Amino acid sequence: MRKDPTKNYITSAFQLYSALNKPTESEIEKSKYDVAVKQDLTAVCKTLDYLHRSGKDEVCSAVGYVYFFDALKDKKQNDISNRVTAFAQNNFISERNVWRNLDLACKLCSSFRGLNTKSVKEILNIK
């Protein structure tokens, strides 16, 4: 499995969204944040909205449980892994499925944000 270069960036965007009390798109537009922050927050809103509309509520639940916790608190090592484990146990699903759901949300958010998520080999069409 290849490393996603945007994963930490998008994880931070989800946590920022949570720290700001989950603003709506109209609240984001009216805010005084700089353009990049507004784009990040709007991408998170669009991601969650898209997932809800497409019936992927389990993905939204995973994102909420894993990323929307104590956003202003300093993170410790393994915080996210521990929350993935707890979510999997509480919802009777495998940790692998939780990680897959989080990966889907991150890739979708990266796409809405306009970030490049392809590897060099994919860009150059090298197999």
mmCIF file of all heavy atoms in Angstrom, residues 4 6-18 28 36-51 59-60 63 67-68 100-117:
data_model
loop_
_atom_site.group_PDB
_atom_site.id
_atom_site.type_symbol
_atom_site.label_atom_id
_atom_site.label_comp_id
_atom_site.label_asym_id
_atom_site.label_seq_id
_atom_site.Cartn_x
_atom_site.Cartn_y
_atom_site.Cartn_z
ATOM 1 N N ASP A 4 -0.002 7.927 1.226
ATOM 2 C CA ASP A 4 -0.754 9.054 0.675
ATOM 3 C C ASP A 4 -0.144 10.349 1.215
ATOM 4 O O ASP A 4 -0.198 10.594 2.423
ATOM 5 C CB ASP A 4 -2.219 8.943 1.069
ATOM 6 C CG ASP A 4 -3.078 10.048 0.480
ATOM 7 O OD1 ASP A 4 -2.554 10.874 -0.283
ATOM 8 O OD2 ASP A 4 -4.276 10.064 0.784
ATOM 9 N N THR A 6 -1.128 13.325 1.121
ATOM 10 C CA THR A 6 -2.074 14.349 1.586
ATOM 11 C C THR A 6 -2.793 13.956 2.873
ATOM 12 O O THR A 6 -3.543 14.751 3.420
ATOM 13 C CB THR A 6 -3.135 14.627 0.505
ATOM 14 O OG1 THR A 6 -3.892 13.436 0.286
ATOM 15 C CG2 THR A 6 -2.504 15.086 -0.787
ATOM 16 N N LYS A 7 -2.571 12.735 3.361
ATOM 17 C CA LYS A 7 -3.351 12.215 4.488
ATOM 18 C C LYS A 7 -3.224 13.084 5.741
ATOM 19 O O LYS A 7 -4.223 13.421 6.368
ATOM 20 C CB LYS A 7 -2.943 10.788 4.806
ATOM 21 C CG LYS A 7 -3.838 10.161 5.863
ATOM 22 C CD LYS A 7 -3.700 8.672 5.850
ATOM 23 C CE LYS A 7 -4.561 8.020 6.879
ATOM 24 N NZ LYS A 7 -5.971 8.094 6.632
ATOM 25 N N ASN A 8 -2.013 13.468 6.123
ATOM 26 C CA ASN A 8 -1.839 14.303 7.316
ATOM 27 C C ASN A 8 -2.485 15.676 7.136
ATOM 28 O O ASN A 8 -3.056 16.229 8.075
ATOM 29 C CB ASN A 8 -0.358 14.463 7.667
ATOM 30 C CG ASN A 8 0.244 13.185 8.188
ATOM 31 O OD1 ASN A 8 -0.455 12.279 8.629
ATOM 32 N ND2 ASN A 8 1.556 13.094 8.126
ATOM 33 N N TYR A 9 -2.376 16.211 5.943
ATOM 34 C CA TYR A 9 -2.973 17.513 5.649
ATOM 35 C C TYR A 9 -4.488 17.454 5.806
ATOM 36 O O TYR A 9 -5.095 18.314 6.448
ATOM 37 C CB TYR A 9 -2.586 17.938 4.226
ATOM 38 C CG TYR A 9 -3.093 19.299 3.833
ATOM 39 C CD1 TYR A 9 -2.364 20.433 4.142
ATOM 40 C CD2 TYR A 9 -4.305 19.444 3.167
ATOM 41 C CE1 TYR A 9 -2.823 21.696 3.782
ATOM 42 C CE2 TYR A 9 -4.769 20.699 2.808
ATOM 43 C CZ TYR A 9 -4.029 21.819 3.113
ATOM 44 O OH TYR A 9 -4.489 23.047 2.770
ATOM 45 N N ILE A 10 -5.092 16.439 5.242
ATOM 46 C CA ILE A 10 -6.547 16.300 5.295
ATOM 47 C C ILE A 10 -7.001 15.963 6.712
ATOM 48 O O ILE A 10 -8.035 16.467 7.177
ATOM 49 C CB ILE A 10 -7.030 15.245 4.277
ATOM 50 C CG1 ILE A 10 -6.730 15.731 2.851
ATOM 51 C CG2 ILE A 10 -8.503 14.947 4.453
ATOM 52 C CD1 ILE A 10 -7.355 17.070 2.475
ATOM 53 N N THR A 11 -6.239 15.145 7.417
ATOM 54 C CA THR A 11 -6.565 14.849 8.816
ATOM 55 C C THR A 11 -6.595 16.137 9.628
ATOM 56 O O THR A 11 -7.499 16.357 10.439
ATOM 57 C CB THR A 11 -5.544 13.863 9.412
ATOM 58 O OG1 THR A 11 -5.574 12.658 8.660
ATOM 59 C CG2 THR A 11 -5.838 13.558 10.857
ATOM 60 N N SER A 12 -5.638 17.002 9.396
ATOM 61 C CA SER A 12 -5.607 18.297 10.085
ATOM 62 C C SER A 12 -6.807 19.152 9.709
ATOM 63 O O SER A 12 -7.355 19.874 10.549
ATOM 64 C CB SER A 12 -4.320 19.050 9.751
ATOM 65 O OG SER A 12 -3.208 18.355 10.250
ATOM 66 N N ALA A 13 -7.234 19.077 8.452
ATOM 67 C CA ALA A 13 -8.413 19.840 8.023
ATOM 68 C C ALA A 13 -9.668 19.345 8.742
ATOM 69 O O ALA A 13 -10.488 20.151 9.192
ATOM 70 C CB ALA A 13 -8.591 19.725 6.510
ATOM 71 N N PHE A 14 -9.807 18.020 8.883
ATOM 72 C CA PHE A 14 -10.949 17.473 9.625
ATOM 73 C C PHE A 14 -10.913 17.944 11.080
ATOM 74 O O PHE A 14 -11.944 18.312 11.649
ATOM 75 C CB PHE A 14 -10.944 15.944 9.588
ATOM 76 C CG PHE A 14 -11.493 15.354 8.316
ATOM 77 C CD1 PHE A 14 -10.723 14.503 7.544
ATOM 78 C CD2 PHE A 14 -12.786 15.621 7.893
ATOM 79 C CE1 PHE A 14 -11.225 13.943 6.376
ATOM 80 C CE2 PHE A 14 -13.303 15.058 6.740
ATOM 81 C CZ PHE A 14 -12.509 14.217 5.978
ATOM 82 N N GLN A 15 -9.736 17.942 11.682
ATOM 83 C CA GLN A 15 -9.620 18.350 13.084
ATOM 84 C C GLN A 15 -9.870 19.848 13.256
ATOM 85 O O GLN A 15 -10.484 20.260 14.242
ATOM 86 C CB GLN A 15 -8.265 17.933 13.634
ATOM 87 C CG GLN A 15 -8.168 16.418 13.768
ATOM 88 C CD GLN A 15 -6.788 15.916 14.131
ATOM 89 O OE1 GLN A 15 -5.798 16.623 13.995
ATOM 90 N NE2 GLN A 15 -6.725 14.679 14.577
ATOM 91 N N LEU A 16 -9.431 20.656 12.306
ATOM 92 C CA LEU A 16 -9.717 22.085 12.341
ATOM 93 C C LEU A 16 -11.219 22.329 12.243
ATOM 94 O O LEU A 16 -11.778 23.149 12.977
ATOM 95 C CB LEU A 16 -8.988 22.811 11.208
ATOM 96 C CG LEU A 16 -9.287 24.293 11.053
ATOM 97 C CD1 LEU A 16 -8.857 25.068 12.306
ATOM 98 C CD2 LEU A 16 -8.615 24.853 9.816
ATOM 99 N N TYR A 17 -11.864 21.623 11.355
ATOM 100 C CA TYR A 17 -13.321 21.724 11.186
ATOM 101 C C TYR A 17 -14.023 21.428 12.512
ATOM 102 O O TYR A 17 -14.938 22.132 12.912
ATOM 103 C CB TYR A 17 -13.750 20.738 10.090
ATOM 104 C CG TYR A 17 -15.226 20.665 9.837
ATOM 105 C CD1 TYR A 17 -15.875 21.663 9.126
ATOM 106 C CD2 TYR A 17 -15.968 19.579 10.281
ATOM 107 C CE1 TYR A 17 -17.233 21.591 8.872
ATOM 108 C CE2 TYR A 17 -17.328 19.498 10.024
ATOM 109 C CZ TYR A 17 -17.952 20.500 9.317
ATOM 110 O OH TYR A 17 -19.306 20.419 9.073
ATOM 111 N N SER A 18 -13.560 20.412 13.190
ATOM 112 C CA SER A 18 -14.133 20.052 14.493
ATOM 113 C C SER A 18 -13.857 21.125 15.540
ATOM 114 O O SER A 18 -14.738 21.477 16.323
ATOM 115 C CB SER A 18 -13.558 18.714 14.953
ATOM 116 O OG SER A 18 -13.974 18.418 16.255
ATOM 117 N N ILE A 28 -18.678 29.458 6.735
ATOM 118 C CA ILE A 28 -17.286 29.502 6.290
ATOM 119 C C ILE A 28 -17.075 30.678 5.343
ATOM 120 O O ILE A 28 -16.097 31.412 5.455
ATOM 121 C CB ILE A 28 -16.891 28.168 5.613
ATOM 122 C CG1 ILE A 28 -16.883 27.044 6.649
ATOM 123 C CG2 ILE A 28 -15.528 28.282 4.945
ATOM 124 C CD1 ILE A 28 -16.811 25.653 6.056
ATOM 125 N N ALA A 36 -6.972 29.808 2.076
ATOM 126 C CA ALA A 36 -6.604 28.395 2.183
ATOM 127 C C ALA A 36 -7.420 27.684 3.254
ATOM 128 O O ALA A 36 -7.882 26.558 3.049
ATOM 129 C CB ALA A 36 -5.113 28.261 2.469
ATOM 130 N N VAL A 37 -7.611 28.337 4.395
ATOM 131 C CA VAL A 37 -8.403 27.731 5.473
ATOM 132 C C VAL A 37 -9.848 27.569 5.026
ATOM 133 O O VAL A 37 -10.475 26.532 5.272
ATOM 134 C CB VAL A 37 -8.300 28.569 6.769
ATOM 135 C CG1 VAL A 37 -9.266 28.065 7.825
ATOM 136 C CG2 VAL A 37 -6.882 28.556 7.305
ATOM 137 N N LYS A 38 -10.385 28.577 4.354
ATOM 138 C CA LYS A 38 -11.757 28.480 3.848
ATOM 139 C C LYS A 38 -11.896 27.319 2.860
ATOM 140 O O LYS A 38 -12.878 26.582 2.890
ATOM 141 C CB LYS A 38 -12.174 29.782 3.168
ATOM 142 C CG LYS A 38 -12.504 30.896 4.131
ATOM 143 C CD LYS A 38 -12.977 32.118 3.366
ATOM 144 C CE LYS A 38 -13.359 33.242 4.305
ATOM 145 N NZ LYS A 38 -13.870 34.414 3.582
ATOM 146 N N GLN A 39 -10.907 27.139 1.998
ATOM 147 C CA GLN A 39 -10.953 26.046 1.028
ATOM 148 C C GLN A 39 -10.883 24.694 1.723
ATOM 149 O O GLN A 39 -11.589 23.756 1.347
ATOM 150 C CB GLN A 39 -9.820 26.176 0.013
ATOM 151 C CG GLN A 39 -10.005 27.327 -0.942
ATOM 152 C CD GLN A 39 -8.807 27.533 -1.849
ATOM 153 O OE1 GLN A 39 -7.689 27.109 -1.540
ATOM 154 N NE2 GLN A 39 -9.038 28.193 -2.977
ATOM 155 N N ASP A 40 -10.044 24.592 2.754
ATOM 156 C CA ASP A 40 -9.951 23.344 3.520
ATOM 157 C C ASP A 40 -11.279 23.016 4.185
ATOM 158 O O ASP A 40 -11.776 21.891 4.097
ATOM 159 C CB ASP A 40 -8.864 23.443 4.605
ATOM 160 C CG ASP A 40 -7.455 23.511 4.049
ATOM 161 O OD1 ASP A 40 -7.278 23.245 2.846
ATOM 162 O OD2 ASP A 40 -6.535 23.835 4.833
ATOM 163 N N LEU A 41 -11.857 23.997 4.853
ATOM 164 C CA LEU A 41 -13.117 23.785 5.566
ATOM 165 C C LEU A 41 -14.263 23.476 4.608
ATOM 166 O O LEU A 41 -15.108 22.623 4.888
ATOM 167 C CB LEU A 41 -13.451 24.994 6.434
ATOM 168 C CG LEU A 41 -12.475 25.280 7.581
ATOM 169 C CD1 LEU A 41 -12.809 26.604 8.249
ATOM 170 C CD2 LEU A 41 -12.474 24.142 8.583
ATOM 171 N N THR A 42 -14.287 24.150 3.479
ATOM 172 C CA THR A 42 -15.319 23.892 2.474
ATOM 173 C C THR A 42 -15.184 22.481 1.918
ATOM 174 O O THR A 42 -16.195 21.787 1.708
ATOM 175 C CB THR A 42 -15.239 24.925 1.336
ATOM 176 O OG1 THR A 42 -15.414 26.234 1.900
ATOM 177 C CG2 THR A 42 -16.305 24.686 0.280
ATOM 178 N N ALA A 43 -13.956 22.025 1.704
ATOM 179 C CA ALA A 43 -13.736 20.657 1.218
ATOM 180 C C ALA A 43 -14.236 19.634 2.234
ATOM 181 O O ALA A 43 -14.849 18.625 1.857
ATOM 182 C CB ALA A 43 -12.253 20.429 0.931
ATOM 183 N N VAL A 44 -14.018 19.888 3.513
ATOM 184 C CA VAL A 44 -14.515 18.981 4.555
ATOM 185 C C VAL A 44 -16.045 18.960 4.533
ATOM 186 O O VAL A 44 -16.657 17.887 4.580
ATOM 187 C CB VAL A 44 -13.978 19.370 5.946
ATOM 188 C CG1 VAL A 44 -14.663 18.572 7.039
ATOM 189 C CG2 VAL A 44 -12.471 19.177 6.013
ATOM 190 N N CYS A 45 -16.665 20.139 4.453
ATOM 191 C CA CYS A 45 -18.141 20.213 4.389
ATOM 192 C C CYS A 45 -18.678 19.438 3.199
ATOM 193 O O CYS A 45 -19.637 18.669 3.319
ATOM 194 C CB CYS A 45 -18.601 21.662 4.287
ATOM 195 S SG CYS A 45 -18.604 22.558 5.809
ATOM 196 N N LYS A 46 -18.075 19.643 2.032
ATOM 197 C CA LYS A 46 -18.526 18.965 0.822
ATOM 198 C C LYS A 46 -18.351 17.454 0.943
ATOM 199 O O LYS A 46 -19.200 16.681 0.494
ATOM 200 C CB LYS A 46 -17.763 19.484 -0.397
ATOM 201 C CG LYS A 46 -18.184 20.865 -0.825
ATOM 202 C CD LYS A 46 -17.397 21.310 -2.038
ATOM 203 C CE LYS A 46 -17.835 22.697 -2.478
ATOM 204 N NZ LYS A 46 -17.068 23.174 -3.638
ATOM 205 N N THR A 47 -17.256 17.041 1.562
ATOM 206 C CA THR A 47 -17.000 15.610 1.747
ATOM 207 C C THR A 47 -18.082 14.980 2.608
ATOM 208 O O THR A 47 -18.667 13.952 2.242
ATOM 209 C CB THR A 47 -15.620 15.392 2.403
ATOM 210 O OG1 THR A 47 -14.609 15.933 1.549
ATOM 211 C CG2 THR A 47 -15.358 13.920 2.658
ATOM 212 N N LEU A 48 -18.336 15.581 3.763
ATOM 213 C CA LEU A 48 -19.340 15.026 4.677
ATOM 214 C C LEU A 48 -20.734 15.042 4.049
ATOM 215 O O LEU A 48 -21.495 14.078 4.186
ATOM 216 C CB LEU A 48 -19.321 15.776 6.002
ATOM 217 C CG LEU A 48 -18.015 15.651 6.793
ATOM 218 C CD1 LEU A 48 -18.044 16.551 8.020
ATOM 219 C CD2 LEU A 48 -17.742 14.210 7.185
ATOM 220 N N ASP A 49 -21.049 16.113 3.330
ATOM 221 C CA ASP A 49 -22.342 16.210 2.665
ATOM 222 C C ASP A 49 -22.478 15.125 1.586
ATOM 223 O O ASP A 49 -23.503 14.450 1.499
ATOM 224 C CB ASP A 49 -22.508 17.602 2.048
ATOM 225 C CG ASP A 49 -23.863 17.791 1.398
ATOM 226 O OD1 ASP A 49 -24.880 17.512 2.067
ATOM 227 O OD2 ASP A 49 -23.896 18.205 0.221
ATOM 228 N N TYR A 50 -21.441 14.956 0.791
ATOM 229 C CA TYR A 50 -21.456 13.942 -0.262
ATOM 230 C C TYR A 50 -21.621 12.542 0.326
ATOM 231 O O TYR A 50 -22.407 11.735 -0.173
ATOM 232 C CB TYR A 50 -20.177 14.020 -1.099
ATOM 233 C CG TYR A 50 -20.101 12.972 -2.161
ATOM 234 C CD1 TYR A 50 -20.751 13.146 -3.384
ATOM 235 C CD2 TYR A 50 -19.405 11.785 -1.946
ATOM 236 C CE1 TYR A 50 -20.695 12.162 -4.363
ATOM 237 C CE2 TYR A 50 -19.349 10.801 -2.920
ATOM 238 C CZ TYR A 50 -19.993 10.998 -4.125
ATOM 239 O OH TYR A 50 -19.946 10.028 -5.090
ATOM 240 N N LEU A 51 -20.894 12.262 1.394
ATOM 241 C CA LEU A 51 -20.981 10.940 2.025
ATOM 242 C C LEU A 51 -22.381 10.683 2.584
ATOM 243 O O LEU A 51 -22.909 9.576 2.451
ATOM 244 C CB LEU A 51 -19.923 10.801 3.119
ATOM 245 C CG LEU A 51 -18.471 10.721 2.624
ATOM 246 C CD1 LEU A 51 -17.510 10.845 3.785
ATOM 247 C CD2 LEU A 51 -18.239 9.430 1.848
ATOM 248 N N VAL A 59 -19.138 5.822 7.035
ATOM 249 C CA VAL A 59 -17.878 6.539 6.823
ATOM 250 C C VAL A 59 -17.895 7.840 7.627
ATOM 251 O O VAL A 59 -16.916 8.177 8.296
ATOM 252 C CB VAL A 59 -17.634 6.819 5.326
ATOM 253 C CG1 VAL A 59 -16.349 7.594 5.120
ATOM 254 C CG2 VAL A 59 -17.615 5.526 4.531
ATOM 255 N N CYS A 60 -19.008 8.548 7.586
ATOM 256 C CA CYS A 60 -19.149 9.785 8.361
ATOM 257 C C CYS A 60 -19.012 9.513 9.856
ATOM 258 O O CYS A 60 -18.384 10.288 10.579
ATOM 259 C CB CYS A 60 -20.487 10.461 8.081
ATOM 260 S SG CYS A 60 -20.611 11.148 6.448
ATOM 261 N N VAL A 63 -15.312 8.977 10.606
ATOM 262 C CA VAL A 63 -14.605 10.258 10.571
ATOM 263 C C VAL A 63 -14.900 11.049 11.845
ATOM 264 O O VAL A 63 -13.989 11.585 12.484
ATOM 265 C CB VAL A 63 -14.976 11.078 9.320
ATOM 266 C CG1 VAL A 63 -14.482 12.512 9.422
ATOM 267 C CG2 VAL A 63 -14.421 10.424 8.069
ATOM 268 N N TYR A 67 -11.633 11.492 14.060
ATOM 269 C CA TYR A 67 -10.977 12.786 13.850
ATOM 270 C C TYR A 67 -11.588 13.937 14.643
ATOM 271 O O TYR A 67 -10.915 14.922 14.896
ATOM 272 C CB TYR A 67 -10.995 13.160 12.366
ATOM 273 C CG TYR A 67 -10.174 12.253 11.486
ATOM 274 C CD1 TYR A 67 -10.603 11.941 10.204
ATOM 275 C CD2 TYR A 67 -8.978 11.706 11.914
ATOM 276 C CE1 TYR A 67 -9.862 11.118 9.380
ATOM 277 C CE2 TYR A 67 -8.230 10.870 11.097
ATOM 278 C CZ TYR A 67 -8.679 10.588 9.828
ATOM 279 O OH TYR A 67 -7.946 9.777 9.009
ATOM 280 N N PHE A 68 -12.861 13.851 15.010
ATOM 281 C CA PHE A 68 -13.525 14.972 15.681
ATOM 282 C C PHE A 68 -13.497 14.833 17.201
ATOM 283 O O PHE A 68 -14.501 14.932 17.868
ATOM 284 C CB PHE A 68 -14.978 15.094 15.236
ATOM 285 C CG PHE A 68 -15.179 15.421 13.782
ATOM 286 C CD1 PHE A 68 -16.439 15.362 13.240
ATOM 287 C CD2 PHE A 68 -14.142 15.782 12.957
ATOM 288 C CE1 PHE A 68 -16.666 15.659 11.899
ATOM 289 C CE2 PHE A 68 -14.348 16.068 11.622
ATOM 290 C CZ PHE A 68 -15.615 16.012 11.098
ATOM 291 N N ARG A 100 -10.155 1.724 5.950
ATOM 292 C CA ARG A 100 -10.586 1.879 4.553
ATOM 293 C C ARG A 100 -11.591 3.018 4.425
ATOM 294 O O ARG A 100 -11.519 3.826 3.489
ATOM 295 C CB ARG A 100 -11.199 0.559 4.062
ATOM 296 C CG ARG A 100 -11.388 0.497 2.576
ATOM 297 C CD ARG A 100 -11.860 -0.880 2.106
ATOM 298 N NE ARG A 100 -10.850 -1.890 2.365
ATOM 299 C CZ ARG A 100 -11.059 -2.985 3.105
ATOM 300 N NH1 ARG A 100 -12.227 -3.220 3.646
ATOM 301 N NH2 ARG A 100 -10.089 -3.856 3.278
ATOM 302 N N ASN A 101 -12.515 3.110 5.381
ATOM 303 C CA ASN A 101 -13.494 4.202 5.366
ATOM 304 C C ASN A 101 -12.824 5.558 5.548
ATOM 305 O O ASN A 101 -13.170 6.535 4.875
ATOM 306 C CB ASN A 101 -14.546 3.992 6.456
ATOM 307 C CG ASN A 101 -15.510 2.873 6.134
ATOM 308 O OD1 ASN A 101 -15.638 2.469 4.979
ATOM 309 N ND2 ASN A 101 -16.167 2.354 7.143
ATOM 310 N N LEU A 102 -11.864 5.626 6.465
ATOM 311 C CA LEU A 102 -11.137 6.887 6.675
ATOM 312 C C LEU A 102 -10.335 7.266 5.435
ATOM 313 O O LEU A 102 -10.264 8.445 5.067
ATOM 314 C CB LEU A 102 -10.218 6.773 7.893
ATOM 315 C CG LEU A 102 -10.916 6.604 9.241
ATOM 316 C CD1 LEU A 102 -9.891 6.363 10.337
ATOM 317 C CD2 LEU A 102 -11.782 7.807 9.571
ATOM 318 N N ASP A 103 -9.755 6.269 4.782
ATOM 319 C CA ASP A 103 -8.995 6.523 3.561
ATOM 320 C C ASP A 103 -9.911 7.063 2.465
ATOM 321 O O ASP A 103 -9.548 8.009 1.753
ATOM 322 C CB ASP A 103 -8.304 5.233 3.102
ATOM 323 C CG ASP A 103 -7.388 5.455 1.928
ATOM 324 O OD1 ASP A 103 -6.498 6.336 2.030
ATOM 325 O OD2 ASP A 103 -7.539 4.766 0.899
ATOM 326 N N LEU A 104 -11.099 6.497 2.352
ATOM 327 C CA LEU A 104 -12.081 6.988 1.383
ATOM 328 C C LEU A 104 -12.418 8.449 1.649
ATOM 329 O O LEU A 104 -12.423 9.280 0.727
ATOM 330 C CB LEU A 104 -13.342 6.131 1.426
ATOM 331 C CG LEU A 104 -14.544 6.642 0.630
ATOM 332 C CD1 LEU A 104 -14.246 6.584 -0.866
ATOM 333 C CD2 LEU A 104 -15.785 5.847 0.962
ATOM 334 N N ALA A 105 -12.675 8.778 2.907
ATOM 335 C CA ALA A 105 -13.022 10.160 3.260
ATOM 336 C C ALA A 105 -11.863 11.104 2.963
ATOM 337 O O ALA A 105 -12.078 12.202 2.435
ATOM 338 C CB ALA A 105 -13.413 10.245 4.731
ATOM 339 N N CYS A 106 -10.643 10.685 3.281
ATOM 340 C CA CYS A 106 -9.470 11.544 3.026
ATOM 341 C C CYS A 106 -9.255 11.763 1.537
ATOM 342 O O CYS A 106 -8.975 12.886 1.105
ATOM 343 C CB CYS A 106 -8.222 10.942 3.663
ATOM 344 S SG CYS A 106 -8.180 11.112 5.453
ATOM 345 N N LYS A 107 -9.392 10.715 0.741
ATOM 346 C CA LYS A 107 -9.209 10.854 -0.712
ATOM 347 C C LYS A 107 -10.304 11.729 -1.324
ATOM 348 O O LYS A 107 -10.028 12.549 -2.197
ATOM 349 C CB LYS A 107 -9.187 9.486 -1.379
ATOM 350 C CG LYS A 107 -7.894 8.742 -1.130
ATOM 351 C CD LYS A 107 -7.858 7.412 -1.818
ATOM 352 C CE LYS A 107 -6.527 6.740 -1.551
ATOM 353 N NZ LYS A 107 -6.450 5.414 -2.134
ATOM 354 N N LEU A 108 -11.506 11.550 -0.851
ATOM 355 C CA LEU A 108 -12.611 12.359 -1.342
ATOM 356 C C LEU A 108 -12.398 13.832 -0.983
ATOM 357 O O LEU A 108 -12.570 14.723 -1.825
ATOM 358 C CB LEU A 108 -13.922 11.850 -0.759
ATOM 359 C CG LEU A 108 -15.213 12.454 -1.275
ATOM 360 C CD1 LEU A 108 -15.337 12.239 -2.777
ATOM 361 C CD2 LEU A 108 -16.395 11.828 -0.564
ATOM 362 N N CYS A 109 -11.989 14.086 0.244
ATOM 363 C CA CYS A 109 -11.736 15.461 0.683
ATOM 364 C C CYS A 109 -10.575 16.073 -0.103
ATOM 365 O O CYS A 109 -10.627 17.239 -0.493
ATOM 366 C CB CYS A 109 -11.458 15.484 2.184
ATOM 367 S SG CYS A 109 -11.429 17.135 2.887
ATOM 368 N N SER A 110 -9.532 15.283 -0.347
ATOM 369 C CA SER A 110 -8.405 15.763 -1.158
ATOM 370 C C SER A 110 -8.864 16.157 -2.547
ATOM 371 O O SER A 110 -8.424 17.165 -3.106
ATOM 372 C CB SER A 110 -7.330 14.681 -1.278
ATOM 373 O OG SER A 110 -6.747 14.405 -0.058
ATOM 374 N N SER A 111 -9.759 15.364 -3.102
ATOM 375 C CA SER A 111 -10.288 15.651 -4.427
ATOM 376 C C SER A 111 -11.089 16.949 -4.423
ATOM 377 O O SER A 111 -10.925 17.795 -5.307
ATOM 378 C CB SER A 111 -11.158 14.484 -4.885
ATOM 379 O OG SER A 111 -11.770 14.776 -6.105
ATOM 380 N N PHE A 112 -11.971 17.119 -3.422
ATOM 381 C CA PHE A 112 -12.746 18.359 -3.325
ATOM 382 C C PHE A 112 -11.832 19.563 -3.107
ATOM 383 O O PHE A 112 -12.126 20.666 -3.565
ATOM 384 C CB PHE A 112 -13.768 18.287 -2.189
ATOM 385 C CG PHE A 112 -15.006 17.514 -2.525
ATOM 386 C CD1 PHE A 112 -15.422 16.469 -1.717
ATOM 387 C CD2 PHE A 112 -15.764 17.821 -3.636
ATOM 388 C CE1 PHE A 112 -16.571 15.760 -2.015
ATOM 389 C CE2 PHE A 112 -16.916 17.117 -3.955
ATOM 390 C CZ PHE A 112 -17.320 16.073 -3.140
ATOM 391 N N ARG A 113 -10.733 19.360 -2.419
ATOM 392 C CA ARG A 113 -9.788 20.449 -2.136
ATOM 393 C C ARG A 113 -8.918 20.747 -3.348
ATOM 394 O O ARG A 113 -8.314 21.799 -3.455
ATOM 395 C CB ARG A 113 -8.927 20.069 -0.916
ATOM 396 C CG ARG A 113 -7.849 21.066 -0.523
ATOM 397 C CD ARG A 113 -8.461 22.395 -0.088
ATOM 398 N NE ARG A 113 -7.458 23.290 0.431
ATOM 399 C CZ ARG A 113 -6.740 24.152 -0.297
ATOM 400 N NH1 ARG A 113 -6.917 24.213 -1.605
ATOM 401 N NH2 ARG A 113 -5.868 24.949 0.269
ATOM 402 N N GLY A 114 -8.844 19.815 -4.281
ATOM 403 C CA GLY A 114 -8.047 20.010 -5.488
ATOM 404 C C GLY A 114 -6.596 19.620 -5.311
ATOM 405 O O GLY A 114 -5.718 20.102 -6.035
ATOM 406 N N LEU A 115 -6.326 18.721 -4.363
ATOM 407 C CA LEU A 115 -4.953 18.285 -4.117
ATOM 408 C C LEU A 115 -4.618 17.099 -5.003
ATOM 409 O O LEU A 115 -5.465 16.265 -5.296
ATOM 410 C CB LEU A 115 -4.773 17.889 -2.649
ATOM 411 C CG LEU A 115 -5.048 18.981 -1.628
ATOM 412 C CD1 LEU A 115 -4.939 18.408 -0.215
ATOM 413 C CD2 LEU A 115 -4.080 20.125 -1.797
ATOM 414 N N ASN A 116 -3.361 17.009 -5.408
ATOM 415 C CA ASN A 116 -2.901 15.898 -6.219
ATOM 416 C C ASN A 116 -2.688 14.688 -5.314
ATOM 417 O O ASN A 116 -1.881 14.727 -4.399
ATOM 418 C CB ASN A 116 -1.593 16.266 -6.925
ATOM 419 C CG ASN A 116 -1.046 15.122 -7.725
ATOM 420 O OD1 ASN A 116 -1.775 14.226 -8.118
ATOM 421 N ND2 ASN A 116 0.252 15.146 -7.964
ATOM 422 N N THR A 117 -3.389 13.613 -5.576
ATOM 423 C CA THR A 117 -3.257 12.413 -4.754
ATOM 424 C C THR A 117 -2.592 11.268 -5.512
ATOM 425 O O THR A 117 -2.531 10.153 -5.021
ATOM 426 C CB THR A 117 -4.638 11.931 -4.262
ATOM 427 O OG1 THR A 117 -5.460 11.682 -5.398
ATOM 428 C CG2 THR A 117 -5.284 12.967 -3.373
#
